[in-house]
């Protein structure tokens, strides 16, 4: 496994729509493993392929540190229900947090790391993480949806 560089806001790669993956092969799995390692190193709860410069529709997520690691290839959100406000950050938007409305509950399907179909229903924080990562695949950053943004460095200076 290897650490990848995380692309930060300002790089146009984060604004592009990613392409579907047609073949779930060892190279894809290697990339997913690298993404997990990179996510852990950065202490994130999710990481999408464009954040490491790869324009493909896949992401990894670990909503609870040390808990289940989810791998999603060609994901599709097939059900959205309710709306909950919550705080989000992004490894590609360092130093900021924001308040975003997300569905309370979603169903998301796609392929797992072996290319097998999978479907999950997530609620609350897990649903938020999946929606956030899914957005990355369409070039959307959470700040596009944020009702309020906080500059964390300013907050620290004031304290
Ligand atoms: Ni993000």
């Amino acid at each position: 496994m290897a650490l990848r560089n995380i692309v930060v806001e300002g790089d146009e790669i984060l604004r592009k729509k990613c392409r579907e993956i047609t073949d779930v092969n060892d190279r894809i799995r290697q990339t997913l493993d690298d993404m997990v390692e990179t996510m852990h190193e950065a202490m994130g709860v999710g990481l999408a392929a464009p954040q490491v410069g790869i324009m493909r529709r896949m992401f990894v997520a670990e909503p609870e540190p040390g808990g289940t690691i989810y791998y999603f290839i060609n994901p599709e959100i097939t059900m959205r229900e309710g709306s909950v406000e919550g705080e989000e950050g992004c490894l590609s938007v360092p130093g900021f947090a924001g308040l975003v409305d997300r569905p309370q509950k979603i169903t998301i399907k796609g392929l797992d790391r072996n290319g097998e179909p999978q479907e999950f229903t997530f609620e609350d924080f897990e649903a938020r993480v999946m929606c956030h990562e899914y957005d990355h695949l369409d070039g959307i950053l959470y700040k596009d949806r944020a009702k309020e943004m906080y500059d964390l460095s300013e907050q620290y200076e004031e304290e």
Side-chain angles (χ1 to χ4, degrees):
M1 295 211 284
L3 287 176
R4 306 274 182 132
N5 287 324
I6 296 177
V7 176
V8 294
E9 202 199 356
D11 192 319
E12 65 175 23
I13 210 161
L14 291 173
R15 292 310 194 168
K16 290 182 176 167
K17 201 170 159 69
C18 296
R19 286 173 297 151
E20 293 239 324
I21 292 166
T22 51
D23 181 21
V24 182
N25 53 32
D26 285 344
R27 194 167 163 199
I28 293 290
R29 279 185 281 276
Q30 176 65 60
T31 304
L32 288 167
D33 289 341
D34 289 353
M35 286 166 61
V36 168
E37 191 179 355
T38 306
M39 171 180 73
H40 283 159
E41 170 79 12
M43 296 194 294
V45 293
L47 194 66
Q51 294 183 273
V52 293
I54 295 168
M55 303 310 300
R56 294 290 178 166
R57 300 188 77 80
M58 60 180 177
F59 68 77
V60 297
E62 188 184 39
E64 190 183 331
T68 306
I69 299 174
Y70 296 96
Y71 300 86
F72 270 101
I73 294 168
N74 299 338
E76 204 182 319
I77 296 174
T78 56
M79 189 277 291
R80 293 174 170 84
E81 196 179 285
S83 179
V84 187
E85 181 184 278
E87 206 169 283
E88 286 181 34
C90 179
L91 296 175
S92 293
V93 190
F96 288 85
L99 216 50
V100 188
D101 285 335
R102 296 285 188 185
Q104 188 272 325
K105 188 175 181 179
I106 64 161
T107 297
I108 181 170
K109 63 179 190 178
L111 302 178
D112 68 12
R113 55 178 288 129
N114 295 313
E116 298 295 327
Q118 63 180 356
E119 182 176 299
F120 293 96
T121 294
F122 292 111
E123 296 188 48
D124 301 317
F125 184 68
E126 288 189 324
R128 175 175 300 280
V129 172
M130 303 304 164
C131 289
H132 176 121
E133 300 311 327
Y134 180 86
D135 273 352
H136 275 298
L137 308 183
D138 288 327
I140 298 166
L141 297 176
Y142 80 92
K143 60 182 295 183
D144 304 342
R145 301 190 186 280
K147 302 194 287 192
E148 244 179 282
M149 287 292 289
Y150 311 115
D151 183 334
L152 299 176
S153 63
E154 271 179 18
Q155 283 188 345
Y156 288 127
E157 276 163 24
E158 283 166 14
E159 278 168 6

